[in-house]
Amino acid sequence: MNNRDKLAALLKRANITRAEAAQYIAEETKRPCSWRAVQSWLADSALPSARECPDWAVTNLTAKLKRLKLIA
């Protein structure tokens, strides 16, 4: 499973929006993260706006969601 799929699965499991995911990533990393960044990470790789989802985004979102008890 690639990071794009992992990120999509996290959003679905926690039932959060892309904007909420961006907010949680920003809170966890103490760096800005926009919903557009999350959108580009989730975009189909054939699209020109698609970007590869970085490991740190998945790791930090997972940590935040666990701390908030939105995922196990």
Side-chain angles (χ1 to χ4, degrees):
M1 182 183 283
N2 62 27
N3 284 344
R4 178 182 168 271
D5 295 337
K6 289 177 187 175
L7 183 62
L10 282 172
L11 268 66
K12 187 173 182 174
R13 274 180 47 207
N15 193 30
I16 60 171
T17 65
R18 293 170 184 191
E20 289 170 318
Q23 177 187 344
Y24 293 153
I25 293 168
E27 288 172 2
E28 194 68 17
T29 62
K30 308 288 191 260
R31 298 187 64 202
C33 180
S34 68
W35 70 269
R36 285 174 114 13
V38 175
Q39 183 174 343
S40 72
W41 296 334
L42 292 170
D44 187 300
S45 58
L47 296 173
S49 61
R51 299 291 177 263
E52 189 171 327
C53 181
D55 292 333
W56 59 263
V58 174
T59 302
N60 285 291
L61 182 58
T62 301
K64 182 70 172 185
L65 293 175
K66 284 183 179 178
R67 210 170 8 272
L68 294 172
K69 301 199 183 325
L70 294 176
I71 61 171

